[in-house]
Protein backbone atom coordinates (compact mmCIF):
# COMPACT_ATOMS: atom_id res chain seq x y z
CA UNK A 1 0.00 0.00 0.00
CA UNK A 2 2.87 2.33 0.83
CA UNK A 3 4.35 1.65 -2.61
CA UNK A 4 1.06 2.45 -4.29
CA UNK A 5 0.87 5.77 -2.45
CA UNK A 6 4.39 6.87 -3.39
CA UNK A 7 4.05 10.53 -4.49
CA UNK A 8 5.22 9.99 -8.05
CA UNK A 9 2.96 6.99 -8.49
CA UNK A 10 0.02 8.91 -7.00
CA UNK A 11 0.34 11.57 -9.71
CA UNK A 12 0.43 8.94 -12.46
CA UNK A 13 -2.56 7.12 -10.95
CA UNK A 14 -4.61 10.33 -10.66
CA UNK A 15 -4.33 10.92 -14.39
CA UNK A 16 -5.26 7.31 -15.14
CA UNK A 17 -8.36 7.54 -12.94
CA UNK A 18 -9.41 10.78 -14.63
CA UNK A 19 -8.98 9.18 -18.05
CA UNK A 20 -11.12 6.20 -16.98
CA UNK A 21 -13.85 8.47 -15.60
CA UNK A 22 -13.78 10.68 -18.69
CA UNK A 23 -14.04 7.67 -20.98
CA UNK A 24 -17.09 6.37 -19.11
CA UNK A 25 -18.82 9.76 -19.24
CA UNK A 26 -18.12 10.22 -22.95
CA UNK A 27 -19.47 6.74 -23.69
CA UNK A 28 -22.91 7.76 -22.41
CA UNK A 29 -25.48 8.29 -25.19
CA UNK A 30 -26.16 11.79 -23.86
CA UNK A 31 -22.56 12.75 -24.66
CA UNK A 32 -23.03 12.64 -28.44
CA UNK A 33 -25.08 14.91 -30.67
CA UNK A 34 -26.90 11.93 -32.20
CA UNK A 35 -27.78 10.30 -28.89
CA UNK A 36 -25.93 7.12 -29.88
CA UNK A 37 -23.04 5.88 -27.70
CA UNK A 38 -19.69 6.51 -29.42
CA UNK A 39 -17.17 3.77 -30.22
CA UNK A 40 -15.02 2.95 -27.20
CA UNK A 41 -11.83 3.98 -28.99
CA UNK A 42 -13.31 7.40 -29.80
CA UNK A 43 -14.35 8.05 -26.20
CA UNK A 44 -11.05 6.75 -24.82
CA UNK A 45 -8.86 8.70 -27.23
CA UNK A 46 -10.80 11.92 -26.60
CA UNK A 47 -10.60 11.45 -22.82
CA UNK A 48 -6.84 10.86 -22.94
CA UNK A 49 -6.36 13.87 -25.22
CA UNK A 50 -8.42 16.08 -22.90
CA UNK A 51 -6.90 14.95 -19.59
CA UNK A 52 -3.40 15.20 -21.08
CA UNK A 53 -4.32 18.66 -22.50
CA UNK A 54 -3.28 17.64 -26.00
CA UNK A 55 -6.11 18.47 -28.38
CA UNK A 56 -5.69 15.72 -30.95
CA UNK A 57 -9.15 14.52 -32.01
CA UNK A 58 -10.62 11.80 -34.19
CA UNK A 59 -14.04 13.49 -34.44
CA UNK A 60 -15.08 17.13 -34.64
CA UNK A 61 -15.63 18.38 -31.08
CA UNK A 62 -18.30 20.92 -31.99
CA UNK A 63 -20.56 18.67 -34.06
CA UNK A 64 -19.95 15.13 -32.80
CA UNK A 65 -20.28 15.80 -29.07
CA UNK A 66 -23.42 17.19 -27.44
CA UNK A 67 -23.31 20.14 -25.03
CA UNK A 68 -22.98 17.58 -22.22
CA UNK A 69 -20.05 15.91 -23.97
CA UNK A 70 -18.36 19.26 -24.60
CA UNK A 71 -18.73 20.20 -20.93
CA UNK A 72 -17.15 16.87 -19.94
CA UNK A 73 -14.24 17.53 -22.30
CA UNK A 74 -13.80 21.05 -20.90
CA UNK A 75 -13.79 19.76 -17.31
CA UNK A 76 -11.25 17.09 -18.24
CA UNK A 77 -8.73 19.47 -19.78
CA UNK A 78 -9.32 22.01 -17.00
CA UNK A 79 -8.55 19.34 -14.41
CA UNK A 80 -5.61 18.01 -16.41
CA UNK A 81 -4.09 21.46 -16.81
CA UNK A 82 -4.84 22.72 -13.30
CA UNK A 83 -3.46 19.60 -11.68
CA UNK A 84 -5.27 17.00 -9.64
CA UNK A 85 -2.90 17.17 -6.69
CA UNK A 86 -2.86 20.95 -6.78
CA UNK A 87 -6.64 20.89 -6.46
CA UNK A 88 -6.44 18.42 -3.61
CA UNK A 89 -3.88 20.63 -1.90
CA UNK A 90 -6.15 23.66 -2.13
CA UNK A 91 -9.03 21.65 -0.70
CA UNK A 92 -6.85 20.50 2.18
CA UNK A 93 -5.74 24.05 2.90
CA UNK A 94 -9.32 25.33 2.92
CA UNK A 95 -10.63 22.50 5.11
CA UNK A 96 -7.77 21.77 7.50
CA UNK A 97 -5.69 24.94 7.23
CA UNK A 98 -2.66 22.66 7.11
CA UNK A 99 -1.20 19.93 4.95
CA UNK A 100 0.12 16.49 5.82
CA UNK A 101 3.66 15.73 4.71
CA UNK A 102 2.49 13.15 2.14
CA UNK A 103 0.11 15.69 0.57
CA UNK A 104 2.95 18.19 0.32
CA UNK A 105 5.23 15.58 -1.25
CA UNK A 106 2.68 14.53 -3.87
CA UNK A 107 1.88 18.12 -4.79
CA UNK A 108 5.60 18.92 -4.92
CA UNK A 109 6.07 16.17 -7.51
CA UNK A 110 3.20 17.42 -9.69
CA UNK A 111 3.97 21.14 -9.39
CA UNK A 112 7.79 20.82 -9.43
CA UNK A 113 8.00 23.05 -6.33
CA UNK A 114 11.51 23.28 -4.90
CA UNK A 115 10.61 23.69 -1.22
CA UNK A 116 7.84 21.98 0.73
CA UNK A 117 7.01 25.28 2.40
CA UNK A 118 6.06 26.74 -0.98
CA UNK A 119 3.46 24.09 -1.83
CA UNK A 120 0.37 25.79 -0.38
CA UNK A 121 1.49 29.20 -1.65
CA UNK A 122 1.98 27.93 -5.20
CA UNK A 123 -1.33 26.03 -5.07
CA UNK A 124 -3.17 29.25 -4.17
CA UNK A 125 -1.33 31.10 -6.93
CA UNK A 126 -2.38 28.43 -9.44
CA UNK A 127 -6.02 28.94 -8.49
CA UNK A 128 -5.89 32.75 -8.65
CA UNK A 129 -3.93 32.95 -11.92
CA UNK A 130 -6.12 30.30 -13.56
CA UNK A 131 -9.37 31.97 -12.55
CA UNK A 132 -8.28 35.52 -13.41
CA UNK A 133 -6.73 34.66 -16.79
CA UNK A 134 -9.55 32.43 -17.94
CA UNK A 135 -12.26 34.91 -16.91
CA UNK A 136 -10.42 37.85 -18.48
CA UNK A 137 -9.85 36.04 -21.78
CA UNK A 138 -13.41 34.73 -21.83
CA UNK A 139 -14.82 38.23 -21.25
CA UNK A 140 -12.81 39.70 -24.14
CA UNK A 141 -13.72 36.87 -26.49
CA UNK A 142 -17.40 36.94 -25.56
CA UNK A 143 -17.65 40.67 -26.15
CA UNK A 144 -15.90 40.35 -29.51
CA UNK A 145 -17.98 37.39 -30.65
CA UNK A 146 -21.21 39.14 -29.72
CA UNK A 147 -20.36 42.56 -31.13
CA UNK A 148 -18.42 41.60 -34.27
CA UNK A 149 -19.71 38.14 -35.23
CA UNK A 150 -23.34 38.61 -34.24
CA UNK A 151 -23.55 35.67 -31.82
CA UNK A 152 -26.14 35.79 -29.07
CA UNK A 153 -24.77 36.34 -25.59
CA UNK A 154 -25.34 32.71 -24.61
CA UNK A 155 -23.56 31.25 -27.63
CA UNK A 156 -20.81 33.86 -27.45
CA UNK A 157 -20.24 33.15 -23.76
CA UNK A 158 -19.97 29.39 -24.28
CA UNK A 159 -17.59 29.80 -27.23
CA UNK A 160 -15.52 32.24 -25.21
CA UNK A 161 -15.33 30.11 -22.07
CA UNK A 162 -14.46 26.93 -23.97
CA UNK A 163 -11.65 28.55 -25.94
CA UNK A 164 -10.35 30.59 -22.98
CA UNK A 165 -10.05 27.51 -20.77
CA UNK A 166 -8.56 25.54 -23.65
CA UNK A 167 -5.99 28.26 -24.36
CA UNK A 168 -4.86 28.75 -20.76
CA UNK A 169 -4.52 25.01 -20.25
CA UNK A 170 -2.68 24.67 -23.58
CA UNK A 171 -5.29 22.06 -24.50
CA UNK A 172 -5.87 23.01 -28.14
CA UNK A 173 -9.49 21.85 -28.17
CA UNK A 174 -11.86 23.95 -30.24
CA UNK A 175 -15.57 23.61 -30.94
CA UNK A 176 -14.91 24.85 -34.47
CA UNK A 177 -14.01 22.34 -37.15
CA UNK A 178 -11.26 24.64 -38.43
CA UNK A 179 -9.83 25.34 -34.95
CA UNK A 180 -9.42 29.16 -34.96
CA UNK A 181 -8.69 29.63 -38.67
CA UNK A 182 -11.91 31.62 -39.05
CA UNK A 183 -10.39 34.22 -36.71
CA UNK A 184 -7.09 34.44 -38.59
CA UNK A 185 -7.63 38.11 -39.40
CA UNK A 186 -8.88 39.10 -35.92
CA UNK A 187 -6.32 40.23 -33.37
CA UNK A 188 -9.05 40.67 -30.75
CA UNK A 189 -9.42 36.88 -30.78
CA UNK A 190 -5.89 35.65 -31.42
CA UNK A 191 -4.01 38.00 -29.07
CA UNK A 192 -6.01 37.05 -25.93
CA UNK A 193 -5.57 33.38 -26.85
CA UNK A 194 -1.80 33.91 -27.18
CA UNK A 195 -1.74 35.63 -23.80
CA UNK A 196 -3.47 32.68 -22.17
CA UNK A 197 -1.19 30.16 -23.87
CA UNK A 198 1.99 31.94 -22.75
CA UNK A 199 0.88 32.59 -19.15
CA UNK A 200 -0.42 29.05 -18.70
CA UNK A 201 2.62 27.50 -20.30
CA UNK A 202 5.36 29.49 -18.62
CA UNK A 203 5.05 27.48 -15.43
CA UNK A 204 3.63 28.31 -12.02
CA UNK A 205 7.00 28.25 -10.19
CA UNK A 206 8.10 31.10 -12.49
CA UNK A 207 4.89 33.01 -11.82
CA UNK A 208 5.39 32.43 -8.10
CA UNK A 209 8.93 33.81 -8.35
CA UNK A 210 7.77 36.86 -10.30
CA UNK A 211 5.01 37.52 -7.78
CA UNK A 212 7.54 37.65 -4.96
CA UNK A 213 10.42 39.41 -6.74
CA UNK A 214 8.98 41.11 -9.82
CA UNK A 215 11.02 44.28 -9.40
CA UNK A 216 14.25 42.55 -8.49
CA UNK A 217 15.35 40.38 -11.44
CA UNK A 218 18.77 39.84 -9.87
CA UNK A 219 17.17 37.62 -7.23
CA UNK A 220 14.99 35.58 -9.54
CA UNK A 221 15.72 31.87 -9.34
CA UNK A 222 17.96 30.34 -11.97
CA UNK A 223 14.99 28.29 -13.15
CA UNK A 224 12.96 31.46 -13.77
CA UNK A 225 15.79 33.14 -15.65
CA UNK A 226 16.42 30.14 -17.88
CA UNK A 227 12.70 29.66 -18.57
CA UNK A 228 12.02 33.30 -19.40
CA UNK A 229 15.13 33.68 -21.56
CA UNK A 230 14.52 30.39 -23.35
CA UNK A 231 10.86 31.18 -23.92
CA UNK A 232 11.70 34.55 -25.43
CA UNK A 233 14.33 33.09 -27.73
CA UNK A 234 12.10 30.25 -28.97
CA UNK A 235 9.10 32.53 -29.54
CA UNK A 236 11.23 35.00 -31.49
CA UNK A 237 12.97 32.32 -33.58
CA UNK A 238 9.68 30.58 -34.32
CA UNK A 239 8.01 33.83 -35.34
CA UNK A 240 10.82 34.92 -37.68
CA UNK A 241 11.18 31.53 -39.36
CA UNK A 242 7.42 30.97 -39.84
CA UNK A 243 7.19 34.45 -41.37
CA UNK A 244 10.15 33.74 -43.63
CA UNK A 245 9.14 30.23 -44.72
CA UNK A 246 5.45 30.99 -45.32
CA UNK A 247 5.73 34.55 -46.66
CA UNK A 248 4.85 33.58 -50.23
CA UNK A 249 2.83 30.42 -49.55
CA UNK A 250 -0.48 31.01 -51.41
CA UNK A 251 -2.30 28.65 -49.02
CA UNK A 252 -1.18 30.37 -45.79
CA UNK A 253 0.49 33.79 -45.37
CA UNK A 254 0.92 34.63 -49.06
CA UNK A 255 -2.37 36.48 -49.74
CA UNK A 256 -2.41 38.31 -46.39
CA UNK A 257 -1.43 41.95 -45.84
CA UNK A 258 1.60 42.64 -43.65
CA UNK A 259 -0.30 43.05 -40.38
CA UNK A 260 -2.11 39.74 -40.75
CA UNK A 261 1.09 37.96 -41.74
CA UNK A 262 2.75 39.17 -38.55
CA UNK A 263 -0.28 38.23 -36.43
CA UNK A 264 -0.58 34.71 -37.81
CA UNK A 265 3.16 34.03 -37.76
CA UNK A 266 3.24 35.07 -34.11
CA UNK A 267 0.23 32.89 -33.32
CA UNK A 268 1.82 29.91 -35.08
CA UNK A 269 5.01 30.34 -33.05
CA UNK A 270 3.11 30.59 -29.76
CA UNK A 271 0.74 27.73 -30.54
CA UNK A 272 3.56 25.39 -31.55
CA UNK A 273 4.71 25.54 -27.93
CA UNK A 274 2.09 22.84 -27.06
CA UNK A 275 -1.10 24.94 -27.37
CA UNK A 276 -2.56 23.13 -30.38
CA UNK A 277 -4.68 25.91 -31.89
CA UNK A 278 -4.03 26.82 -35.50
CA UNK A 279 -5.01 29.94 -37.42
CA UNK A 280 -3.24 28.59 -40.53
CA UNK A 281 -3.98 25.33 -42.31
CA UNK A 282 -1.30 23.00 -40.93
CA UNK A 283 -1.62 20.58 -43.85
CA UNK A 284 -0.86 23.45 -46.27
CA UNK A 285 2.35 24.58 -44.57
CA UNK A 286 5.60 24.09 -46.43
CA UNK A 287 7.63 21.11 -45.29
CA UNK A 288 10.37 23.30 -43.83
CA UNK A 289 7.71 24.84 -41.58
CA UNK A 290 6.65 21.37 -40.47
CA UNK A 291 10.31 20.67 -39.70
CA UNK A 292 10.49 23.90 -37.68
CA UNK A 293 7.55 22.68 -35.62
CA UNK A 294 9.40 19.50 -34.64
CA UNK A 295 11.86 21.13 -32.19
CA UNK A 296 9.38 23.81 -31.07
CA UNK A 297 6.79 21.18 -30.14
CA UNK A 298 9.33 18.77 -28.66
CA UNK A 299 10.83 21.44 -26.39
CA UNK A 300 7.47 22.82 -25.31
CA UNK A 301 7.21 25.50 -22.64
CA UNK A 302 7.99 25.93 -18.95
CA UNK A 303 8.08 23.25 -16.26
CA UNK A 304 5.06 22.81 -13.96
CA UNK A 305 2.74 24.73 -16.24
CA UNK A 306 -0.10 23.55 -18.42
CA UNK A 307 2.15 22.84 -21.41
CA UNK A 308 3.98 19.68 -22.44
CA UNK A 309 7.25 18.88 -24.14
CA UNK A 310 10.58 18.17 -22.49
CA UNK A 311 10.50 21.77 -21.28
CA UNK A 312 12.54 24.89 -21.95
CA UNK A 313 14.66 24.60 -18.80
CA UNK A 314 15.67 21.04 -19.68
CA UNK A 315 16.95 21.98 -23.12
CA UNK A 316 18.72 25.15 -22.07
CA UNK A 317 20.52 23.38 -19.22
CA UNK A 318 21.96 21.04 -21.84
CA UNK A 319 22.73 23.88 -24.24
CA UNK A 320 24.70 25.59 -21.47
CA UNK A 321 26.42 22.28 -20.70
CA UNK A 322 27.58 22.04 -24.31
CA UNK A 323 28.95 25.59 -24.27
CA UNK A 324 30.69 24.96 -20.94
CA UNK A 325 32.32 21.82 -22.36
CA UNK A 326 33.42 23.64 -25.51
CA UNK A 327 34.95 26.43 -23.44
CA UNK A 328 36.68 23.93 -21.16
CA UNK A 329 34.92 25.11 -18.01
CA UNK A 330 34.88 22.68 -15.07
CA UNK A 331 31.29 23.61 -14.15
CA UNK A 332 28.06 24.33 -15.98
CA UNK A 333 27.28 27.93 -15.08
CA UNK A 334 24.61 30.54 -15.85
CA UNK A 335 23.77 33.95 -14.39
CA UNK A 336 26.46 33.63 -11.75
CA UNK A 337 25.20 30.24 -10.55
CA UNK A 338 26.52 26.71 -10.92
CA UNK A 339 23.98 24.21 -12.22
CA UNK A 340 23.94 21.09 -10.07
CA UNK A 341 25.08 17.75 -11.45
CA UNK A 342 21.72 16.27 -10.43
CA UNK A 343 19.83 18.79 -12.57
CA UNK A 344 22.10 18.05 -15.54
CA UNK A 345 21.57 14.29 -15.19
CA UNK A 346 17.81 14.78 -14.93
CA UNK A 347 17.83 16.99 -18.03
CA UNK A 348 19.76 14.37 -20.00
CA UNK A 349 17.38 11.65 -18.78
CA UNK A 350 14.27 13.60 -19.78
CA UNK A 351 15.68 14.41 -23.21
CA UNK A 352 16.85 10.85 -23.92
CA UNK A 353 13.61 9.24 -22.73
CA UNK A 354 11.60 11.74 -24.76
CA UNK A 355 13.68 11.09 -27.86
CA UNK A 356 13.34 7.33 -27.40
CA UNK A 357 9.56 7.57 -27.05
CA UNK A 358 9.27 9.74 -30.15
CA UNK A 359 11.56 7.41 -32.13
CA UNK A 360 9.67 4.29 -31.08
CA UNK A 361 6.29 5.91 -31.75
CA UNK A 362 7.42 7.05 -35.18
CA UNK A 363 8.64 3.62 -36.20
CA UNK A 364 5.44 1.92 -35.02
CA UNK A 365 3.17 4.41 -36.79
CA UNK A 366 5.19 4.17 -39.98
CA UNK A 367 4.53 0.44 -39.84
CA UNK A 368 0.80 0.85 -39.12
CA UNK A 369 -0.07 3.70 -41.49
CA UNK A 370 0.58 4.58 -45.15
CA UNK A 371 1.59 8.18 -44.42
CA UNK A 372 4.91 9.82 -45.21
CA UNK A 373 7.57 10.10 -42.54
CA UNK A 374 7.25 13.88 -42.17
CA UNK A 375 3.52 13.64 -41.38
CA UNK A 376 4.04 10.77 -38.95
CA UNK A 377 6.89 12.51 -37.14
CA UNK A 378 4.71 15.62 -36.82
CA UNK A 379 1.85 13.57 -35.36
CA UNK A 380 4.06 11.66 -32.93
CA UNK A 381 5.84 14.72 -31.56
CA UNK A 382 2.51 16.54 -31.31
CA UNK A 383 1.14 13.68 -29.20
CA UNK A 384 4.20 13.27 -26.97
CA UNK A 385 4.55 17.02 -26.40
CA UNK A 386 0.76 17.31 -25.82
CA UNK A 387 0.50 19.90 -28.57
CA UNK A 388 -2.54 18.81 -30.56
CA UNK A 389 -1.51 20.18 -33.96
CA UNK A 390 -1.96 17.76 -36.84
CA UNK A 391 -1.38 17.63 -40.57
CA UNK A 392 -4.84 16.09 -40.86
CA UNK A 393 -4.19 12.37 -40.44
CA UNK A 394 -5.40 11.72 -36.87
CA UNK A 395 -8.92 10.63 -37.76
CA UNK A 396 -7.63 8.12 -40.33
CA UNK A 397 -5.10 6.39 -38.10
CA UNK A 398 -6.14 2.80 -37.26
CA UNK A 399 -7.08 1.89 -33.65
CA UNK A 400 -3.66 0.35 -32.96
CA UNK A 401 -2.00 3.60 -34.04
CA UNK A 402 -4.38 5.62 -31.88
CA UNK A 403 -3.38 3.49 -28.91
CA UNK A 404 0.26 4.37 -29.59
CA UNK A 405 -0.68 8.07 -29.59
CA UNK A 406 -2.54 7.72 -26.28
CA UNK A 407 0.53 6.19 -24.66
CA UNK A 408 2.64 9.06 -25.97
CA UNK A 409 0.15 11.65 -24.72
CA UNK A 410 0.03 10.09 -21.27
CA UNK A 411 3.81 9.79 -21.01
CA UNK A 412 4.25 13.34 -22.25
CA UNK A 413 1.75 14.83 -19.79
CA UNK A 414 2.72 12.89 -16.68
CA UNK A 415 6.33 13.50 -17.51
CA UNK A 416 9.07 11.08 -18.42
CA UNK A 417 10.86 11.55 -15.10
CA UNK A 418 7.67 11.20 -13.05
CA UNK A 419 6.59 8.18 -15.07
CA UNK A 420 9.98 6.51 -14.70
CA UNK A 421 10.06 7.28 -10.99
CA UNK A 422 6.55 5.89 -10.59
CA UNK A 423 7.77 2.59 -12.03
CA UNK A 424 11.13 2.42 -10.30
CA UNK A 425 10.02 4.07 -7.04
CA UNK A 426 12.94 5.98 -5.79
CA UNK A 427 16.68 6.33 -6.18
CA UNK A 428 18.94 3.72 -4.66
CA UNK A 429 21.62 4.79 -2.22
CA UNK A 430 24.75 2.71 -2.71
CA UNK A 431 27.07 2.15 0.28
CA UNK A 432 30.07 2.15 -2.07
CA UNK A 433 31.35 3.71 -5.29
CA UNK A 434 33.40 2.05 -8.04
CA UNK A 435 36.78 3.31 -9.19
CA UNK A 436 36.43 6.04 -11.82
CA UNK A 437 37.47 5.58 -15.44
CA UNK A 438 37.04 7.86 -18.48
CA UNK A 439 35.74 6.10 -21.63
CA UNK A 440 36.56 7.61 -25.02
CA UNK A 441 33.84 10.04 -26.19
CA UNK A 442 33.37 11.11 -29.82
Amino acid sequence: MRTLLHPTRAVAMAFLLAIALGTLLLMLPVATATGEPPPTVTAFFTAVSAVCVTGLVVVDTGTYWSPFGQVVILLLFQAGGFGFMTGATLLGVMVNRSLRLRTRLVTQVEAHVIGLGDVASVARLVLVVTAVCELLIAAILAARLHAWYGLGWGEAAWNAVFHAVSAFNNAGFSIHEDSVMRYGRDGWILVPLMFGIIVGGIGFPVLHDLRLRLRDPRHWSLHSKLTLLGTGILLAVGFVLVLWFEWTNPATLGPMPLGEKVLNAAFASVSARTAGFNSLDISALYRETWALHYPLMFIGAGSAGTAGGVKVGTVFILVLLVFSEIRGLPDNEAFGRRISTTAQRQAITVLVLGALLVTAGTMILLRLTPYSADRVIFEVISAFATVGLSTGITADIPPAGLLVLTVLMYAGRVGTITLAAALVLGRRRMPYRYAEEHPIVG
Side-chain angles (χ1 to χ4, degrees):
M1 185 66 176
R2 292 181 62 189
T3 300
L4 180 64
L5 294 178
H6 188 282
T8 52
R9 180 160 286 175
V11 172
M13 287 296 296
F15 277 85
L16 286 177
L17 290 174
I19 290 170
L21 177 60
T23 301
L24 291 175
L25 290 175
L26 291 176
M27 287 182 66
L28 297 174
V30 71
T32 64
T34 61
E36 297 291 332
T40 302
V41 67
T42 299
F44 176 65
F45 187 87
T46 303
V48 173
S49 185
V51 171
C52 298
V53 291
T54 305
L56 287 176
V57 294
V58 292
V59 293
D60 178 47
T61 304
T63 58
Y64 186 86
W65 301 107
S66 68
F68 173 82
Q70 293 174 23
V71 170
V72 170
I73 292 170
L74 183 148
L75 293 176
L76 289 176
F77 61 66
Q78 175 71 89
F82 183 80
F84 300 100
M85 298 307 164
T86 304
T89 297
L90 280 170
L91 184 61
V93 170
M94 291 186 290
V95 174
N96 300 322
R97 302 294 178 182
S98 62
L99 295 173
R100 297 175 59 188
L101 178 60
R102 178 167 293 279
T103 303
R104 290 179 182 270
L105 287 170
V106 174
T107 308
Q108 185 183 26
V109 168
E110 184 183 62
H112 291 62
V113 180
I114 303 264
L116 287 176
D118 292 334
V119 167
S121 177
V122 171
R124 292 191 187 96
L125 178 68
V126 171
L127 176 62
V128 172
V129 171
T130 300
V132 170
C133 284
E134 289 180 356
L135 289 174
L136 177 62
I137 296 168
I140 296 173
L141 296 184
R144 183 65 172 177
L145 291 172
H146 174 71
W148 194 256
Y149 295 89
L151 300 184
W153 276 115
E155 185 180 0
W158 171 241
N159 273 269
V161 168
F162 192 95
H163 289 94
V165 175
S166 185
F168 182 80
N169 288 284
N170 279 235
F173 276 89
S174 173
I175 53 179
H176 303 316
E177 187 177 5
D178 62 352
S179 188
V180 292
M181 288 175 59
R182 65 187 62 189
Y183 307 124
R185 299 175 181 272
D186 194 343
W188 285 99
I189 299 291
L190 297 188
V191 171
L193 292 178
M194 284 191 283
F195 171 78
I197 292 166
I198 292 173
V199 174
I202 205 169
F204 292 108
V206 175
L207 296 177
H208 180 61
D209 199 16
L210 295 179
R211 180 175 69 91
L212 297 178
R213 294 174 281 271
L214 179 61
R215 299 182 179 180
D216 191 10
R218 294 175 301 172
H219 292 91
W220 291 352
S221 68
L222 180 58
H223 167 74
S224 296
K225 292 177 180 177
L226 288 177
T227 300
L228 292 172
L229 176 62
T231 297
I233 291 174
L234 291 173
L235 288 176
V237 169
F239 164 70
V240 171
L241 291 182
V242 169
L243 199 62
W244 179 21
F245 293 157
E246 297 296 317
W247 186 270
T248 58
N249 188 339
T252 57
L253 298 184
M256 297 181 182
L258 177 60
E260 292 177 10
K261 286 183 178 181
V262 170
L263 174 65
N264 283 272
F267 190 83
S269 178
V270 171
S271 188
R273 311 288 309 294
T274 84
F277 288 125
N278 61 285
S279 62
L280 301 173
D281 184 359
I282 299 298
S283 64
L285 296 175
Y286 287 141
R287 295 196 174 196
E288 56 265 37
T289 311
W290 284 356
L292 169 65
H293 276 69
Y294 299 163
L296 292 179
M297 294 192 298
F298 185 74
I299 295 172
S303 300
T306 60
V310 295
K311 304 300 189 298
V312 173
T314 300
V315 171
F316 274 80
I317 285 174
L318 297 180
V319 170
L320 291 170
L321 177 61
V322 170
F323 279 113
S324 296
E325 190 66 25
I326 292 174
R327 295 164 62 192
L329 299 177
D331 297 314
N332 189 7
E333 302 170 347
F335 298 103
R337 292 290 187 270
R338 177 168 51 87
I339 300 174
S340 70
T341 303
T342 301
Q344 295 175 57
R345 291 177 60 183
Q346 289 175 341
I348 293 171
T349 303
V350 168
L351 195 68
V352 170
L353 287 178
L356 288 175
L357 283 171
V358 168
T359 301
T362 299
M363 289 190 295
I364 295 172
L365 278 190
L366 283 173
R367 180 71 175 176
L368 295 174
T369 67
Y371 302 111
S372 61
D374 49 4
R375 288 181 181 270
V376 170
I377 292 172
F378 195 104
E379 198 82 7
V380 167
I381 296 178
S382 181
F384 168 75
T386 69
V387 180
L389 294 175
S390 174
T391 59
I393 66 174
T394 311
D396 298 319
I397 293 177
L402 293 179
L403 180 60
V404 172
L405 293 181
T406 59
V407 172
L408 290 170
M409 289 189 284
Y410 177 75
R413 179 55 185 150
V414 174
T416 48
I417 279 288
T418 301
L419 185 60
L423 298 175
V424 178
L425 291 182
R427 187 174 60 183
R428 296 172 58 190
R429 293 186 177 181
M430 303 296 292
Y432 57 87
R433 298 179 71 183
Y434 290 108
E436 183 177 298
E437 188 170 339
H438 191 93
I440 297 174
V441 177

